[in-house]
Amino acid sequence: MNWIAWKMLTGDRAKYFGTVFGVAFGVLLISQQTSIFVSLMRRTAHAVIDVRDASVWVMDPHQQNADEIKPLSDSDLNRIRGVEGVAWAVRYFKSLARAKIENGNFRQVVLLGLDDATLVGAPVKMREGSLANLRRPDAIIVDKAGYEYLWGQEPVRLGRTLEMNDHRAVLVGICEATAPFQTFPVVYTRYSQAVQFVAGERKVMSFVLTKPQTGISDQTLAERIHDKTGLMAQSRREFMWFIIGYYMRNTGIPINFGITIALGFIVGTAIAGQTFYLFTLENLKQFGALKAMGVSDLKITGMVLLQATIVGVIGYGLGIGMTALFFESTGGITALAGFYMPWQVAIVAAVAVAFIIVLASFISLRKVLMLEPAVVFRG
Amino acid sequence: MVSQVLLPTDNEPRTTDDVAISCTGVIKDFGEGDAKVRALYGIDVDIHASELTLLIGPSGCGKTTLISIIAGLLNPTEGEINLFGTPQSELRGRKLVQFRAENVGFVFQQYNLLPALTATENVAVPLLIQGWKRPAALKVARETLVAVDLEQRADQFPSQLSGGQQQRVAIARALVHQPRLLVCDEPTAALDGKSGRTVMELIKKVAVQPGRAVIVVTHDQRVFDYGDRIIEMADGRVVRVASDAAEIAHFAEKVSA
Ligand SMILES: Nc1ncnc2c1ncn2[C@@H]1O[C@H](COP(=O)(O)OP(=O)(O)OP(=O)(O)O)[C@@H](O)[C@H]1O
Ligand SMILES: [Mg+2]
């Protein structure tokens, strides 16, 4: 009977592809919309994501996100270094700055200042130039998207200059960086240099980045630092979610996107469920004939569920494939750089599609099972 | 050519008093309360094995309802049907489904072939339902298609066949598992006169077998003379049963007149 179910499903190519693509389109809507939302929210934590070498962030206890920063003092750094279990602790500067380009245009940039001695928090992947050149006077490294924002599509030329706070900055490299939420260019420099690139404030240490000694977990260290210094300390992961949580609570994005995603879910599941439901309804007469000929309800149920599973699995595969392809093909577009489909989204889409397919097959099964086999004698 | 296996053993006299199915006081109501419609008012009738029984009567008189009950597709409201010695009331649920799978062949007015299966595959369906392995089922199905003279169409899909050919495939499907009962509801209604006669001829020659009961519901007066016995219904009742040649000839004449 499984063979007959398979033949019934695939016999009419147009109907089969229609059903499978209905499901695939539903999956595409769900996974693509959700991925964009997740990717966008992830951007709010770009600075934390891009610091791979430190695992605990220390900041002012009243800090709410990574953009509005109340600086720490040098004595804070010493106190943190004194906490038991700290392997090392270094300064980290983060601020918005205004960059003036050669032609007089200017742009807001995210300025990151790395500890002069260690360069903790440095970009992991360079596209042009080398990280070591950051030690040269006035050196800056800009992310690839940032270069385009600043200088347009002009070919990359190292050595060009910017002006920040009346200080000359010299481009020594292009790196990869997670796009910031506001899509500002990301500019890396040394801590001592960064301080000169912004108008003078007395305290400028935005964060202290630390790492626990081996054997001590990030959480434990964060708790210890908090207990000893009264400062807020969070593991890299916690801080990421902390920032994302802030933007979720305080911007219209979740609501806006929530609506889009909800619509994606509704439309996606409606399409997926509906096409399969219609498919079964169109085959009602055939199921009736099979029932008359002595196929038990149990076997009929098995047939419908098998058809549902095949449609679900293939449709899901195609849908997820299309989403992956979308992000693959838009990866090169600067505005969408870094947008990707997290595996969790693939799972959410799988659960959604499984749920809707099971639901649709049970609704259509009801029709099939309630069908009087005697209807086969009626026109 | 007609397959040897399925050829009726012609010259033997048919034992027409061999009762295969008997209906006693069969009543069927549809609906409930005010909407209740009585379709059958106490049917008492015998269906004999080894012969072709025609069930005739005006539209709405209950012919389809009666054969649905006999074939176990509908439950009677009252009354009993004895099927080859087994009271149908003893066959319930799963048992009845299995009884149908093993003992009943169906031919429908609209053929009801599965469009996604070839002629051979369609014919194999009743064997697959009984759990046969596909190669064996397809082999027997192919042989059965020979009996309905369609071996050269074995690999075509229903959409590639004419109505008459589809109905012949349906007959092969109804017989492939050697059922003891064959029910056909208006098998010729959708066909032109010539195809209709071919189909009736097939039923008469191939389907009618010793021990098998064959019931054909028909409006089609042109095929009355194929019947060995004619049961005439009107308004949910059996009004006449004709079984000898003269009476049947009279029926056929009366209507053709
Ligand atoms: N499922 C049903 N629900 C309600 N009434 C029904 C149902 N099936 C049949 N009937 C009624 O029962 C009566 C007999 O119907 P049936 O289909 O058996 O007639 P028939 O002799 O086969 O007619 P036809 O020659 O038009 O096929 C009719 O009055 C019909 O309306
Ligand atoms: Mg009828």
PDB file of all heavy atoms in Angstrom, chain B residues 203-226:
ATOM      1  N   ILE B 203     -18.473  -9.549 -19.037  1.00  0.00           N
ATOM      2  CA  ILE B 203     -18.999  -9.933 -17.727  1.00  0.00           C
ATOM      3  C   ILE B 203     -19.641 -11.305 -17.834  1.00  0.00           C
ATOM      4  O   ILE B 203     -19.406 -12.195 -17.018  1.00  0.00           O
ATOM      5  CB  ILE B 203     -20.002  -8.872 -17.215  1.00  0.00           C
ATOM      6  CG1 ILE B 203     -19.253  -7.563 -16.916  1.00  0.00           C
ATOM      7  CG2 ILE B 203     -20.726  -9.357 -15.975  1.00  0.00           C
ATOM      8  CD1 ILE B 203     -20.140  -6.406 -16.489  1.00  0.00           C
ATOM      9  N   LYS B 204     -20.406 -11.468 -18.893  1.00  0.00           N
ATOM     10  CA  LYS B 204     -21.117 -12.740 -19.069  1.00  0.00           C
ATOM     11  C   LYS B 204     -20.130 -13.897 -19.248  1.00  0.00           C
ATOM     12  O   LYS B 204     -20.270 -14.949 -18.635  1.00  0.00           O
ATOM     13  CB  LYS B 204     -22.005 -12.612 -20.317  1.00  0.00           C
ATOM     14  CG  LYS B 204     -22.821 -13.844 -20.631  1.00  0.00           C
ATOM     15  CD  LYS B 204     -24.179 -13.735 -20.007  1.00  0.00           C
ATOM     16  CE  LYS B 204     -25.039 -14.956 -20.380  1.00  0.00           C
ATOM     17  NZ  LYS B 204     -26.347 -14.898 -19.719  1.00  0.00           N
ATOM     18  N   LYS B 205     -19.111 -13.674 -20.057  1.00  0.00           N
ATOM     19  CA  LYS B 205     -18.212 -14.770 -20.406  1.00  0.00           C
ATOM     20  C   LYS B 205     -17.137 -15.015 -19.367  1.00  0.00           C
ATOM     21  O   LYS B 205     -16.751 -16.143 -19.099  1.00  0.00           O
ATOM     22  CB  LYS B 205     -17.492 -14.446 -21.730  1.00  0.00           C
ATOM     23  CG  LYS B 205     -18.260 -14.863 -22.949  1.00  0.00           C
ATOM     24  CD  LYS B 205     -17.265 -14.997 -24.094  1.00  0.00           C
ATOM     25  CE  LYS B 205     -17.963 -15.062 -25.439  1.00  0.00           C
ATOM     26  NZ  LYS B 205     -17.223 -14.297 -26.458  1.00  0.00           N
ATOM     27  N   VAL B 206     -16.583 -13.930 -18.831  1.00  0.00           N
ATOM     28  CA  VAL B 206     -15.407 -14.050 -17.976  1.00  0.00           C
ATOM     29  C   VAL B 206     -15.772 -14.036 -16.499  1.00  0.00           C
ATOM     30  O   VAL B 206     -15.214 -14.769 -15.692  1.00  0.00           O
ATOM     31  CB  VAL B 206     -14.391 -12.929 -18.274  1.00  0.00           C
ATOM     32  CG1 VAL B 206     -13.146 -13.093 -17.433  1.00  0.00           C
ATOM     33  CG2 VAL B 206     -14.050 -12.928 -19.750  1.00  0.00           C
ATOM     34  N   ALA B 207     -16.755 -13.160 -16.159  1.00  0.00           N
ATOM     35  CA  ALA B 207     -17.051 -12.993 -14.740  1.00  0.00           C
ATOM     36  C   ALA B 207     -17.897 -14.128 -14.197  1.00  0.00           C
ATOM     37  O   ALA B 207     -17.687 -14.599 -13.086  1.00  0.00           O
ATOM     38  CB  ALA B 207     -17.748 -11.656 -14.519  1.00  0.00           C
ATOM     39  N   VAL B 208     -18.877 -14.540 -14.995  1.00  0.00           N
ATOM     40  CA  VAL B 208     -19.785 -15.564 -14.480  1.00  0.00           C
ATOM     41  C   VAL B 208     -19.039 -16.891 -14.393  1.00  0.00           C
ATOM     42  O   VAL B 208     -18.522 -17.391 -15.393  1.00  0.00           O
ATOM     43  CB  VAL B 208     -21.034 -15.686 -15.367  1.00  0.00           C
ATOM     44  CG1 VAL B 208     -21.937 -16.799 -14.852  1.00  0.00           C
ATOM     45  CG2 VAL B 208     -21.799 -14.368 -15.396  1.00  0.00           C
ATOM     46  N   GLN B 209     -18.929 -17.408 -13.219  1.00  0.00           N
ATOM     47  CA  GLN B 209     -18.155 -18.619 -12.954  1.00  0.00           C
ATOM     48  C   GLN B 209     -18.939 -19.483 -11.979  1.00  0.00           C
ATOM     49  O   GLN B 209     -19.740 -18.972 -11.208  1.00  0.00           O
ATOM     50  CB  GLN B 209     -16.822 -18.262 -12.281  1.00  0.00           C
ATOM     51  CG  GLN B 209     -15.891 -17.428 -13.109  1.00  0.00           C
ATOM     52  CD  GLN B 209     -15.153 -18.256 -14.136  1.00  0.00           C
ATOM     53  OE1 GLN B 209     -14.575 -19.293 -13.809  1.00  0.00           O
ATOM     54  NE2 GLN B 209     -15.213 -17.827 -15.370  1.00  0.00           N
ATOM     55  N   PRO B 210     -18.678 -20.769 -12.002  1.00  0.00           N
ATOM     56  CA  PRO B 210     -19.338 -21.612 -11.004  1.00  0.00           C
ATOM     57  C   PRO B 210     -19.035 -21.091  -9.604  1.00  0.00           C
ATOM     58  O   PRO B 210     -17.890 -20.771  -9.297  1.00  0.00           O
ATOM     59  CB  PRO B 210     -18.701 -22.986 -11.212  1.00  0.00           C
ATOM     60  CG  PRO B 210     -18.153 -22.955 -12.585  1.00  0.00           C
ATOM     61  CD  PRO B 210     -17.788 -21.541 -12.878  1.00  0.00           C
ATOM     62  N   GLY B 211     -20.061 -20.956  -8.811  1.00  0.00           N
ATOM     63  CA  GLY B 211     -19.858 -20.546  -7.424  1.00  0.00           C
ATOM     64  C   GLY B 211     -19.785 -19.051  -7.218  1.00  0.00           C
ATOM     65  O   GLY B 211     -19.760 -18.587  -6.087  1.00  0.00           O
ATOM     66  N   ARG B 212     -19.732 -18.261  -8.303  1.00  0.00           N
ATOM     67  CA  ARG B 212     -19.619 -16.807  -8.139  1.00  0.00           C
ATOM     68  C   ARG B 212     -20.964 -16.146  -8.426  1.00  0.00           C
ATOM     69  O   ARG B 212     -21.626 -16.468  -9.404  1.00  0.00           O
ATOM     70  CB  ARG B 212     -18.565 -16.254  -9.077  1.00  0.00           C
ATOM     71  CG  ARG B 212     -18.466 -14.715  -9.023  1.00  0.00           C
ATOM     72  CD  ARG B 212     -17.456 -14.161  -9.992  1.00  0.00           C
ATOM     73  NE  ARG B 212     -16.116 -14.561  -9.637  1.00  0.00           N
ATOM     74  CZ  ARG B 212     -15.117 -14.631 -10.508  1.00  0.00           C
ATOM     75  NH1 ARG B 212     -15.338 -14.367 -11.790  1.00  0.00           N
ATOM     76  NH2 ARG B 212     -13.925 -14.983 -10.116  1.00  0.00           N
ATOM     77  N   ALA B 213     -21.337 -15.222  -7.543  1.00  0.00           N
ATOM     78  CA  ALA B 213     -22.549 -14.444  -7.789  1.00  0.00           C
ATOM     79  C   ALA B 213     -22.170 -13.145  -8.474  1.00  0.00           C
ATOM     80  O   ALA B 213     -21.214 -12.501  -8.075  1.00  0.00           O
ATOM     81  CB  ALA B 213     -23.252 -14.150  -6.465  1.00  0.00           C
ATOM     82  N   VAL B 214     -22.903 -12.819  -9.533  1.00  0.00           N
ATOM     83  CA  VAL B 214     -22.614 -11.580 -10.268  1.00  0.00           C
ATOM     84  C   VAL B 214     -23.881 -10.740 -10.325  1.00  0.00           C
ATOM     85  O   VAL B 214     -24.920 -11.207 -10.802  1.00  0.00           O
ATOM     86  CB  VAL B 214     -22.125 -11.895 -11.699  1.00  0.00           C
ATOM     87  CG1 VAL B 214     -21.869 -10.606 -12.470  1.00  0.00           C
ATOM     88  CG2 VAL B 214     -20.875 -12.765 -11.660  1.00  0.00           C
ATOM     89  N   ILE B 215     -23.811  -9.532  -9.784  1.00  0.00           N
ATOM     90  CA  ILE B 215     -24.971  -8.638  -9.814  1.00  0.00           C
ATOM     91  C   ILE B 215     -24.615  -7.410 -10.644  1.00  0.00           C
ATOM     92  O   ILE B 215     -23.596  -6.764 -10.390  1.00  0.00           O
ATOM     93  CB  ILE B 215     -25.360  -8.160  -8.392  1.00  0.00           C
ATOM     94  CG1 ILE B 215     -25.483  -9.344  -7.430  1.00  0.00           C
ATOM     95  CG2 ILE B 215     -26.661  -7.365  -8.440  1.00  0.00           C
ATOM     96  CD1 ILE B 215     -25.696  -8.940  -5.989  1.00  0.00           C
ATOM     97  N   VAL B 216     -25.452  -7.134 -11.624  1.00  0.00           N
ATOM     98  CA  VAL B 216     -25.229  -5.944 -12.437  1.00  0.00           C
ATOM     99  C   VAL B 216     -26.458  -5.047 -12.330  1.00  0.00           C
ATOM    100  O   VAL B 216     -27.563  -5.455 -12.670  1.00  0.00           O
ATOM    101  CB  VAL B 216     -24.970  -6.309 -13.917  1.00  0.00           C
ATOM    102  CG1 VAL B 216     -24.850  -5.044 -14.765  1.00  0.00           C
ATOM    103  CG2 VAL B 216     -23.723  -7.166 -14.049  1.00  0.00           C
ATOM    104  N   VAL B 217     -26.241  -3.843 -11.797  1.00  0.00           N
ATOM    105  CA  VAL B 217     -27.321  -2.867 -11.767  1.00  0.00           C
ATOM    106  C   VAL B 217     -27.315  -2.165 -13.113  1.00  0.00           C
ATOM    107  O   VAL B 217     -26.253  -1.744 -13.585  1.00  0.00           O
ATOM    108  CB  VAL B 217     -27.078  -1.822 -10.655  1.00  0.00           C
ATOM    109  CG1 VAL B 217     -28.057  -0.664 -10.795  1.00  0.00           C
ATOM    110  CG2 VAL B 217     -27.200  -2.471  -9.288  1.00  0.00           C
ATOM    111  N   THR B 218     -28.462  -2.055 -13.724  1.00  0.00           N
ATOM    112  CA  THR B 218     -28.469  -1.370 -15.022  1.00  0.00           C
ATOM    113  C   THR B 218     -29.804  -0.731 -15.346  1.00  0.00           C
ATOM    114  O   THR B 218     -30.873  -1.184 -14.959  1.00  0.00           O
ATOM    115  CB  THR B 218     -28.048  -2.321 -16.164  1.00  0.00           C
ATOM    116  OG1 THR B 218     -27.937  -1.559 -17.356  1.00  0.00           O
ATOM    117  CG2 THR B 218     -29.048  -3.450 -16.349  1.00  0.00           C
ATOM    118  N   HIS B 219     -29.693   0.383 -16.022  1.00  0.00           N
ATOM    119  CA  HIS B 219     -30.821   1.071 -16.617  1.00  0.00           C
ATOM    120  C   HIS B 219     -30.954   0.677 -18.077  1.00  0.00           C
ATOM    121  O   HIS B 219     -31.921   0.997 -18.728  1.00  0.00           O
ATOM    122  CB  HIS B 219     -30.480   2.582 -16.687  1.00  0.00           C
ATOM    123  CG  HIS B 219     -31.049   3.364 -15.590  1.00  0.00           C
ATOM    124  ND1 HIS B 219     -30.273   3.951 -14.636  1.00  0.00           N
ATOM    125  CD2 HIS B 219     -32.327   3.680 -15.284  1.00  0.00           C
ATOM    126  CE1 HIS B 219     -31.045   4.600 -13.794  1.00  0.00           C
ATOM    127  NE2 HIS B 219     -32.305   4.445 -14.167  1.00  0.00           N
ATOM    128  N   ASP B 220     -29.840   0.139 -18.559  1.00  0.00           N
ATOM    129  CA  ASP B 220     -29.618   0.049 -19.986  1.00  0.00           C
ATOM    130  C   ASP B 220     -30.411  -1.116 -20.566  1.00  0.00           C
ATOM    131  O   ASP B 220     -30.028  -2.270 -20.476  1.00  0.00           O
ATOM    132  CB  ASP B 220     -28.107  -0.144 -20.208  1.00  0.00           C
ATOM    133  CG  ASP B 220     -27.719   0.003 -21.653  1.00  0.00           C
ATOM    134  OD1 ASP B 220     -28.626   0.040 -22.510  1.00  0.00           O
ATOM    135  OD2 ASP B 220     -26.506   0.062 -21.911  1.00  0.00           O
ATOM    136  N   GLN B 221     -31.561  -0.790 -21.185  1.00  0.00           N
ATOM    137  CA  GLN B 221     -32.465  -1.842 -21.655  1.00  0.00           C
ATOM    138  C   GLN B 221     -31.837  -2.694 -22.749  1.00  0.00           C
ATOM    139  O   GLN B 221     -32.193  -3.851 -22.930  1.00  0.00           O
ATOM    140  CB  GLN B 221     -33.756  -1.198 -22.163  1.00  0.00           C
ATOM    141  CG  GLN B 221     -34.488  -0.501 -21.044  1.00  0.00           C
ATOM    142  CD  GLN B 221     -35.347   0.663 -21.527  1.00  0.00           C
ATOM    143  OE1 GLN B 221     -35.253   1.090 -22.669  1.00  0.00           O
ATOM    144  NE2 GLN B 221     -36.186   1.159 -20.635  1.00  0.00           N
ATOM    145  N   ARG B 222     -30.849  -2.123 -23.423  1.00  0.00           N
ATOM    146  CA  ARG B 222     -30.220  -2.870 -24.513  1.00  0.00           C
ATOM    147  C   ARG B 222     -29.463  -4.089 -24.021  1.00  0.00           C
ATOM    148  O   ARG B 222     -29.112  -4.965 -24.805  1.00  0.00           O
ATOM    149  CB  ARG B 222     -29.236  -1.961 -25.269  1.00  0.00           C
ATOM    150  CG  ARG B 222     -29.908  -0.813 -25.970  1.00  0.00           C
ATOM    151  CD  ARG B 222     -28.902   0.220 -26.368  1.00  0.00           C
ATOM    152  NE  ARG B 222     -28.139   0.719 -25.210  1.00  0.00           N
ATOM    153  CZ  ARG B 222     -27.233   1.676 -25.285  1.00  0.00           C
ATOM    154  NH1 ARG B 222     -26.941   2.219 -26.439  1.00  0.00           N
ATOM    155  NH2 ARG B 222     -26.607   2.072 -24.203  1.00  0.00           N
ATOM    156  N   VAL B 223     -29.183  -4.138 -22.726  1.00  0.00           N
ATOM    157  CA  VAL B 223     -28.370  -5.267 -22.253  1.00  0.00           C
ATOM    158  C   VAL B 223     -29.174  -6.252 -21.414  1.00  0.00           C
ATOM    159  O   VAL B 223     -28.626  -7.187 -20.846  1.00  0.00           O
ATOM    160  CB  VAL B 223     -27.132  -4.774 -21.447  1.00  0.00           C
ATOM    161  CG1 VAL B 223     -26.308  -3.812 -22.278  1.00  0.00           C
ATOM    162  CG2 VAL B 223     -27.548  -4.149 -20.130  1.00  0.00           C
ATOM    163  N   PHE B 224     -30.500  -6.072 -21.354  1.00  0.00           N
ATOM    164  CA  PHE B 224     -31.311  -6.960 -20.516  1.00  0.00           C
ATOM    165  C   PHE B 224     -31.163  -8.426 -20.892  1.00  0.00           C
ATOM    166  O   PHE B 224     -31.226  -9.306 -20.051  1.00  0.00           O
ATOM    167  CB  PHE B 224     -32.799  -6.569 -20.583  1.00  0.00           C
ATOM    168  CG  PHE B 224     -33.140  -5.357 -19.753  1.00  0.00           C
ATOM    169  CD1 PHE B 224     -32.157  -4.681 -19.037  1.00  0.00           C
ATOM    170  CD2 PHE B 224     -34.447  -4.890 -19.700  1.00  0.00           C
ATOM    171  CE1 PHE B 224     -32.482  -3.556 -18.285  1.00  0.00           C
ATOM    172  CE2 PHE B 224     -34.772  -3.773 -18.942  1.00  0.00           C
ATOM    173  CZ  PHE B 224     -33.788  -3.098 -18.245  1.00  0.00           C
ATOM    174  N   ASP B 225     -30.968  -8.677 -22.196  1.00  0.00           N
ATOM    175  CA  ASP B 225     -30.927 -10.085 -22.618  1.00  0.00           C
ATOM    176  C   ASP B 225     -29.654 -10.806 -22.169  1.00  0.00           C
ATOM    177  O   ASP B 225     -29.537 -12.016 -22.328  1.00  0.00           O
ATOM    178  CB  ASP B 225     -31.130 -10.204 -24.133  1.00  0.00           C
ATOM    179  CG  ASP B 225     -30.215  -9.278 -24.899  1.00  0.00           C
ATOM    180  OD1 ASP B 225     -29.648  -8.345 -24.254  1.00  0.00           O
ATOM    181  OD2 ASP B 225     -30.042  -9.461 -26.109  1.00  0.00           O
ATOM    182  N   TYR B 226     -28.708 -10.093 -21.562  1.00  0.00           N
ATOM    183  CA  TYR B 226     -27.541 -10.792 -20.996  1.00  0.00           C
ATOM    184  C   TYR B 226     -27.864 -11.444 -19.649  1.00  0.00           C
ATOM    185  O   TYR B 226     -27.099 -12.250 -19.138  1.00  0.00           O
ATOM    186  CB  TYR B 226     -26.366  -9.821 -20.803  1.00  0.00           C
ATOM    187  CG  TYR B 226     -25.726  -9.390 -22.104  1.00  0.00           C
ATOM    188  CD1 TYR B 226     -26.019  -8.157 -22.668  1.00  0.00           C
ATOM    189  CD2 TYR B 226     -24.830 -10.244 -22.745  1.00  0.00           C
ATOM    190  CE1 TYR B 226     -25.438  -7.768 -23.859  1.00  0.00           C
ATOM    191  CE2 TYR B 226     -24.246  -9.860 -23.943  1.00  0.00           C
ATOM    192  CZ  TYR B 226     -24.554  -8.624 -24.493  1.00  0.00           C
ATOM    193  OH  TYR B 226     -23.969  -8.253 -25.670  1.00  0.00           O
TER     194      TYR B 226
END
